[in-house]
């Protein structure tokens, strides 16, 4: 064991010690435990991975799973992969075989409700299209939209009708809006990037990120195609998204980069209001976009496309100026998400340079990691997500449980 890996293992132990006992959610937010982003559902993933990788007692994992599923688990139309029944359902997909019998009744019940939810959500999108309204993040994104439900279904029921309908919806989403949509892409949303109204985005915006933008659907379409799951128009939809990313790719001496989002004014003039790349995060930055492009190249068997995005990823993650913009260790915006994505990209890479990234990024992640700082404990921006990435670095192996499928990088 090298010194950095040993250090990572020691820090990982500090994180797990820090996250030993679940605490009840606030009385006015009983649903918070069911959050994959911030609650017990997400923190459970850490304990499941630790127990699966290192053996030992299942008690900690069971405590956290029980906390996540306590009370009424919601399958309301506002739930998605990161909240409610889909979040708890995803968690249960990571449970190793020796313990699955403990949760089989709950898993089957949840799956039925999640499948029904997916059908309802697709029906709602059809009504929205008929009404001529623009989409929202909540309709299609990875966190709370149909892309996230598709990620769950790809793990649990890849041949089912629900996933087929989700994929058909994503294919339809890539079609330009009707003539009165004035040339807008089908995924154009009615609100600003903060889901509100802003004078900077008076006509909504187009989003490029993996978390809330068109990169999320590309990730799901590519992951499905790699597994042999396709629908009519699947290939064409992927190329449409790739062409859009190509049209808006910006070039600098440090390599290609993409805007996080564009306004209607940007669309009309053909250039973004950003003049430089932001942090190379999984959620909005080059890291997430490049992994999606790499996976698209693999799925489409387009080596030039794959090579372009692998080069973009390598250059972004070796550019000191871009890396200096990373200020936290979380999965969404920080080093954990960058490292975990780089590990998955390196395993699939044609470009040998990508295989050098996990070591250097893992060392940086371990050096930056401080359990309890900031105070967030959850998966997406807190200690649990950082610790999960550290399990990958400390073991020098990909996750056993496949927990990072919730990011669609695996």
């Amino acid at each position: 064991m090298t010194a950095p890996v040993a250090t990572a293992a020691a820090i990982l132990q500090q994180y797990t010690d820090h996250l030993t006992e679940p605490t009840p959610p606030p009385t006015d937010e009983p649903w918070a435990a069911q959050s994959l982003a911030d609650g017990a559902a997400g923190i459970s993933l850490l304990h499941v991975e630790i127990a699966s990788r290192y053996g030992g007692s299942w008690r900690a994992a069971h405590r956290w799973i029980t906390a996540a599923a306590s009370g009424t688990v919601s399958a309301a139309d506002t739930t998605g992969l990161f909240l409610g029944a889909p979040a708890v359902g995803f968690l249960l997909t990571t449970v190793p075989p020796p313990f699955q019998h403990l949760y089989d009744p709950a898993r089957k019940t949840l799956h039925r409700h999640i499948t029904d939810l997916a059908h309802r959500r697709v029906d709602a999108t059809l009504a929205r299209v008929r009404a001529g309204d623009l989409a929202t993040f909540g309709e299609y994104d990875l966190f709370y939209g149909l892309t996230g439900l598709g990620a769950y279904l790809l793990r649990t029921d890849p041949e089912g009708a629900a996933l087929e309908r989700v994929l058909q919806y994503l294919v339809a989403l890539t079609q330009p809006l009707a003539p009165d949509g004035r040339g807008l892409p089908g995924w154009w949303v009615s609100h600003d990037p903060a889901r509100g109204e802003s004078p900077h985005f008076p006509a909504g915006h187009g989003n490029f990120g993996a978390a809330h933008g068109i990169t999320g659907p590309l990730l799901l379409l590519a992951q499905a195609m790699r597994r042999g799951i396709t629908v009519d128009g699947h290939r064409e939809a992927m190329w449409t998204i790739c062409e859009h990313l190509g049209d808006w790719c910006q070039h600098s001496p440090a390599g290609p980069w993409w805007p996080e989002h564009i306004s209607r004014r940007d669309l009309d003039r053909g250039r973004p209001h950003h003049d430089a790349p932001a942090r190379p995060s999984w959620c909005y930055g080059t890291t997430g976009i490049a992994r999606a492009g790499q996976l698209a190249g693999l799925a489409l068997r387009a080596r030039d496309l794959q090579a372009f995005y692998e080069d973009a990823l390598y250059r972004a993650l070796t550019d000191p100026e871009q890396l200096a913009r990373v200020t936290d260790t979380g999965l969404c915006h920080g080093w954990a998400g960058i490292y975990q994505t780089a590990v998955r990209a390196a395993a699939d890479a044609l470009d040998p340079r990508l295989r050098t990234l996990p070591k250097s990024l893992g060392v940086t992640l371990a050096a930056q990691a401080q359990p309890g700082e900031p105070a967030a404990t959850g998966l997406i921006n807190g200690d649990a997500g950082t610790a999960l990435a550290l399990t990958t670095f400390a073991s020098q192996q990909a996750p056993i449980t496949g927990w990072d499928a919730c990011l669609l990088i695996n």
Side-chain angles (χ1 to χ4, degrees):
M1 183 181 292
T2 65
V5 170
T7 299
I11 297 170
L12 175 59
Q13 185 62 54
Q14 294 176 40
Y15 274 104
T16 54
D17 291 345
H18 175 60
L19 297 170
T20 300
E21 295 290 340
T23 56
T27 55
D28 59 338
E29 296 180 347
W31 46 264
Q34 302 163 30
S35 170
L36 204 65
D38 305 308
I43 297 171
S44 297
L45 293 175
L46 170 63
H47 292 282
V48 172
E49 178 70 22
I50 292 289
S52 300
R53 180 169 297 285
Y54 300 110
S57 174
W58 183 248
R59 291 174 185 166
H62 184 69
R63 276 198 305 272
W64 281 94
I65 292 170
T66 301
S70 62
T72 302
V73 178
S74 176
D77 289 353
T78 52
T79 61
L81 180 61
F82 277 74
L83 183 66
V88 179
F90 178 86
L91 163 62
L92 295 184
T93 70
T94 67
V95 172
F99 304 104
Q100 288 176 0
H101 68 280
L102 298 173
Y103 313 102
D104 272 347
R107 181 180 55 79
K108 291 175 182 176
T109 299
L110 284 167
H111 182 72
R112 185 172 66 253
H113 285 292
I114 297 164
T115 300
D116 290 345
L117 172 64
H119 284 294
R120 292 200 310 272
R121 295 285 293 273
V122 172
D123 290 342
T125 68
L126 297 177
R128 188 268 300 170
V129 171
R130 286 194 297 270
D133 296 331
L134 294 175
T136 64
F137 284 168
E139 178 181 299
Y140 74 80
D141 77 5
L142 175 58
F143 279 18
Y144 304 110
L146 281 162
T147 296
L149 293 180
Y152 164 83
L153 292 165
L154 187 61
R155 279 174 71 86
T156 58
D157 192 13
E159 302 287 347
L163 178 60
E164 181 180 33
R165 292 194 73 202
V166 170
L167 295 175
Q168 288 170 341
Y169 157 74
L170 293 180
V171 168
L173 190 71
T174 65
Q175 298 300 309
L177 295 177
D180 59 357
R182 297 172 296 170
L184 297 175
W187 57 86
W188 194 268
V189 295
S190 59
H191 49 75
D192 68 15
R195 300 184 186 85
E197 296 183 2
S198 165
H200 300 293
F201 299 91
H205 80 285
N207 198 288
F208 289 85
H212 301 299
I214 194 55
T215 294
L218 180 60
L219 281 164
L220 179 60
L221 290 166
Q223 295 285 24
M225 180 176 278
R226 290 191 77 193
R227 291 160 173 79
I229 308 297
T230 61
V231 296
D232 289 346
H234 198 121
R235 177 179 294 270
E236 293 79 5
M238 290 175 63
W239 277 116
T240 295
I241 299 171
C242 289
E243 288 167 6
H244 180 77
L245 293 175
D247 289 343
W248 286 93
C249 178
Q250 308 298 301
H251 298 275
S252 74
W257 61 275
W258 288 263
E260 294 184 347
H261 39 67
I262 53 173
S263 66
R264 181 59 203 247
R265 182 170 181 267
D266 296 337
L267 185 68
D268 289 342
R269 67 180 185 170
R271 66 178 188 273
H273 57 276
H274 306 77
D275 57 8
R279 58 194 168 191
S281 61
W282 163 80
C283 59
Y284 272 105
T286 297
T287 296
I289 293 171
R291 176 57 172 160
Q294 178 197 35
L295 287 167
L298 284 161
L300 294 165
R301 299 183 181 180
R303 291 173 68 92
D304 289 349
L305 185 69
Q306 181 181 349
F308 171 77
Y309 280 103
E310 289 182 357
D311 177 68
L313 182 62
Y314 178 80
R315 294 175 72 181
L317 296 186
T318 55
D319 176 25
E321 187 173 340
Q322 291 186 64
L323 294 178
R325 297 190 175 102
V326 182
T327 58
D328 69 80
T329 60
L331 282 176
C332 195
H333 312 120
W335 291 110
I338 292 169
Y339 169 75
Q340 195 68 32
T341 306
V343 167
R344 292 298 191 179
D348 290 326
L350 290 172
D351 189 334
R353 295 177 301 167
L354 263 64
R355 290 190 281 277
T356 68
L357 291 175
K359 180 179 179 181
S360 61
L361 293 171
V363 169
T364 301
L365 170 64
Q368 296 289 327
Q370 297 182 40
E373 295 291 338
T377 57
L379 174 72
I380 203 69
N381 288 315
D383 283 353
T386 302
L388 275 163
L390 283 170
T391 64
T392 303
F393 184 51
S395 65
Q396 295 291 286
Q397 294 179 342
I400 289 178
T401 61
W403 65 265
D404 53 353
C406 71
L407 306 177
L408 277 175
I409 58 175
N410 166 42

